[in-house]
Short mmCIF file of all heavy atoms in Angstrom, two decimals:
data_model
loop_
_atom_site.label_atom_id
_atom_site.label_comp_id
_atom_site.label_asym_id
_atom_site.label_seq_id
_atom_site.Cartn_x
_atom_site.Cartn_y
_atom_site.Cartn_z
N ARG A 159 78.60 39.62 -8.07
CA ARG A 159 77.18 39.63 -8.39
C ARG A 159 76.60 38.28 -7.96
O ARG A 159 76.56 37.33 -8.74
CB ARG A 159 76.94 39.86 -9.88
CG ARG A 159 77.33 41.26 -10.34
CD ARG A 159 76.84 41.55 -11.76
NE ARG A 159 77.19 42.90 -12.18
CZ ARG A 159 78.24 43.20 -12.94
NH1 ARG A 159 79.05 42.24 -13.36
NH2 ARG A 159 78.49 44.45 -13.27
N PRO A 160 76.15 38.16 -6.74
CA PRO A 160 75.69 36.86 -6.23
C PRO A 160 74.40 36.37 -6.87
O PRO A 160 74.11 35.17 -6.82
CB PRO A 160 75.51 37.11 -4.73
CG PRO A 160 75.27 38.59 -4.62
CD PRO A 160 76.09 39.21 -5.70
N ILE A 161 73.60 37.27 -7.45
CA ILE A 161 72.37 36.87 -8.12
C ILE A 161 72.53 37.20 -9.59
O ILE A 161 72.74 38.36 -9.96
CB ILE A 161 71.16 37.59 -7.52
CG1 ILE A 161 71.02 37.19 -6.05
CG2 ILE A 161 69.89 37.26 -8.29
CD1 ILE A 161 69.94 37.95 -5.32
N THR A 162 72.44 36.19 -10.43
CA THR A 162 72.76 36.39 -11.85
C THR A 162 71.59 36.10 -12.79
O THR A 162 71.76 36.14 -14.00
CB THR A 162 73.94 35.49 -12.26
OG1 THR A 162 73.63 34.13 -11.96
CG2 THR A 162 75.20 35.90 -11.51
N GLY A 163 70.43 35.81 -12.24
CA GLY A 163 69.32 35.52 -13.13
C GLY A 163 68.01 35.33 -12.39
O GLY A 163 67.97 35.27 -11.14
N TYR A 164 66.94 35.22 -13.15
CA TYR A 164 65.61 35.01 -12.58
C TYR A 164 65.37 33.53 -12.29
O TYR A 164 66.00 32.65 -12.87
CB TYR A 164 64.55 35.51 -13.57
CG TYR A 164 64.57 37.00 -13.79
CD1 TYR A 164 64.90 37.52 -15.04
CD2 TYR A 164 64.27 37.88 -12.76
CE1 TYR A 164 64.90 38.90 -15.25
CE2 TYR A 164 64.28 39.25 -12.96
CZ TYR A 164 64.60 39.76 -14.20
OH TYR A 164 64.61 41.12 -14.41
N TYR A 165 64.47 33.28 -11.37
CA TYR A 165 64.03 31.93 -10.99
C TYR A 165 65.19 31.07 -10.48
O TYR A 165 65.23 29.86 -10.69
CB TYR A 165 63.36 31.22 -12.18
CG TYR A 165 62.14 31.93 -12.70
CD1 TYR A 165 62.11 32.48 -13.98
CD2 TYR A 165 60.99 32.06 -11.91
CE1 TYR A 165 60.98 33.14 -14.46
CE2 TYR A 165 59.86 32.72 -12.38
CZ TYR A 165 59.87 33.25 -13.65
OH TYR A 165 58.75 33.90 -14.13
N VAL A 166 66.15 31.71 -9.80
CA VAL A 166 67.28 30.99 -9.22
C VAL A 166 67.39 31.37 -7.74
O VAL A 166 67.57 32.55 -7.41
CB VAL A 166 68.60 31.32 -9.94
CG1 VAL A 166 69.77 30.59 -9.26
CG2 VAL A 166 68.52 30.92 -11.40
N GLY A 167 67.25 30.38 -6.85
CA GLY A 167 67.49 30.61 -5.43
C GLY A 167 68.96 30.51 -5.13
O GLY A 167 69.70 29.79 -5.80
N VAL A 168 69.40 31.24 -4.11
CA VAL A 168 70.82 31.21 -3.72
C VAL A 168 70.91 30.87 -2.24
O VAL A 168 70.46 31.64 -1.38
CB VAL A 168 71.52 32.56 -4.00
CG1 VAL A 168 72.98 32.49 -3.58
CG2 VAL A 168 71.39 32.95 -5.46
N GLU A 169 71.51 29.71 -1.95
CA GLU A 169 71.67 29.29 -0.57
C GLU A 169 72.84 30.02 0.09
O GLU A 169 72.71 30.54 1.19
CB GLU A 169 71.88 27.77 -0.52
CG GLU A 169 71.64 27.17 0.83
CD GLU A 169 71.50 25.66 0.77
OE1 GLU A 169 71.41 25.10 -0.34
OE2 GLU A 169 71.49 25.04 1.85
N LYS A 170 73.96 30.07 -0.62
CA LYS A 170 75.12 30.81 -0.09
C LYS A 170 76.02 31.23 -1.22
O LYS A 170 76.31 30.45 -2.13
CB LYS A 170 75.92 29.95 0.91
CG LYS A 170 77.12 30.68 1.51
CD LYS A 170 77.83 29.84 2.56
CE LYS A 170 77.06 29.84 3.86
NZ LYS A 170 77.86 29.25 4.99
N ASP A 171 76.47 32.48 -1.17
CA ASP A 171 77.43 32.99 -2.14
C ASP A 171 78.49 33.77 -1.37
O ASP A 171 78.18 34.67 -0.58
CB ASP A 171 76.75 33.89 -3.17
CG ASP A 171 77.65 34.19 -4.36
OD1 ASP A 171 78.69 34.85 -4.17
OD2 ASP A 171 77.31 33.75 -5.47
N ILE A 172 79.76 33.41 -1.60
CA ILE A 172 80.88 33.98 -0.84
C ILE A 172 81.84 34.65 -1.82
O ILE A 172 82.16 34.08 -2.87
CB ILE A 172 81.62 32.90 -0.03
CG1 ILE A 172 80.66 32.18 0.91
CG2 ILE A 172 82.80 33.50 0.74
CD1 ILE A 172 81.25 30.92 1.53
N TYR A 173 82.31 35.83 -1.47
CA TYR A 173 83.32 36.53 -2.28
C TYR A 173 84.40 37.04 -1.33
O TYR A 173 84.12 37.77 -0.37
CB TYR A 173 82.68 37.69 -3.01
CG TYR A 173 83.61 38.50 -3.89
CD1 TYR A 173 83.78 38.18 -5.23
CD2 TYR A 173 84.30 39.59 -3.38
CE1 TYR A 173 84.62 38.93 -6.05
CE2 TYR A 173 85.15 40.35 -4.19
CZ TYR A 173 85.30 40.02 -5.53
OH TYR A 173 86.14 40.76 -6.33
N ASN A 174 85.63 36.62 -1.60
CA ASN A 174 86.77 37.08 -0.81
C ASN A 174 87.83 37.63 -1.75
O ASN A 174 88.14 37.02 -2.79
CB ASN A 174 87.37 35.94 0.02
CG ASN A 174 86.51 35.59 1.20
OD1 ASN A 174 86.31 36.39 2.11
ND2 ASN A 174 85.98 34.37 1.20
N LEU A 175 88.39 38.77 -1.40
CA LEU A 175 89.49 39.36 -2.16
C LEU A 175 90.59 39.79 -1.19
O LEU A 175 90.31 40.42 -0.16
CB LEU A 175 89.01 40.56 -2.97
CG LEU A 175 90.09 41.23 -3.84
CD1 LEU A 175 89.50 41.67 -5.17
CD2 LEU A 175 90.71 42.44 -3.12
N GLN A 176 91.82 39.45 -1.56
CA GLN A 176 92.97 39.83 -0.75
C GLN A 176 94.00 40.53 -1.62
O GLN A 176 94.47 39.96 -2.63
CB GLN A 176 93.61 38.59 -0.09
CG GLN A 176 94.79 38.91 0.81
CD GLN A 176 94.40 39.76 2.02
OE1 GLN A 176 93.39 39.46 2.67
NE2 GLN A 176 95.16 40.80 2.30
N ASP A 177 94.33 41.78 -1.28
CA ASP A 177 95.33 42.55 -2.00
C ASP A 177 96.64 42.50 -1.21
O ASP A 177 96.85 43.27 -0.28
CB ASP A 177 94.85 44.00 -2.16
CG ASP A 177 95.91 44.93 -2.73
OD1 ASP A 177 96.89 44.42 -3.31
OD2 ASP A 177 95.75 46.16 -2.59
N ASN A 178 97.51 41.59 -1.59
CA ASN A 178 98.76 41.40 -0.86
C ASN A 178 99.82 42.45 -1.15
O ASN A 178 100.85 42.52 -0.47
CB ASN A 178 99.34 40.01 -1.15
CG ASN A 178 98.50 38.91 -0.53
OD1 ASN A 178 97.80 39.13 0.46
ND2 ASN A 178 98.55 37.72 -1.13
N GLU A 179 99.61 43.26 -2.18
CA GLU A 179 100.60 44.27 -2.57
C GLU A 179 100.15 45.69 -2.21
O GLU A 179 100.87 46.65 -2.50
CB GLU A 179 100.86 44.19 -4.08
CG GLU A 179 101.74 43.04 -4.50
CD GLU A 179 103.17 43.19 -3.99
OE1 GLU A 179 103.86 44.12 -4.44
OE2 GLU A 179 103.57 42.39 -3.13
N ASP A 180 98.99 45.82 -1.58
CA ASP A 180 98.47 47.14 -1.20
C ASP A 180 98.47 48.08 -2.39
O ASP A 180 99.07 49.16 -2.37
CB ASP A 180 99.29 47.72 -0.04
CG ASP A 180 98.56 48.88 0.64
OD1 ASP A 180 97.37 49.10 0.31
OD2 ASP A 180 99.17 49.57 1.47
N LEU A 181 97.76 47.68 -3.45
CA LEU A 181 97.74 48.44 -4.69
C LEU A 181 96.69 49.55 -4.71
O LEU A 181 96.54 50.23 -5.72
CB LEU A 181 97.48 47.48 -5.86
CG LEU A 181 98.54 46.40 -6.09
CD1 LEU A 181 98.11 45.50 -7.25
CD2 LEU A 181 99.90 47.02 -6.37
#
Side-chain angles (χ1 to χ4, degrees):
R159 292 191 179 98
I161 298 174
T162 56
Y164 294 115
Y165 300 115
V166 177
V168 180
E169 198 165 351
K170 181 176 283 191
D171 193 295
I172 303 168
Y173 180 91
N174 286 296
L175 181 142
Q176 182 64 45
D177 173 17
N178 290 335
E179 283 293 293
D180 196 8
L181 297 178

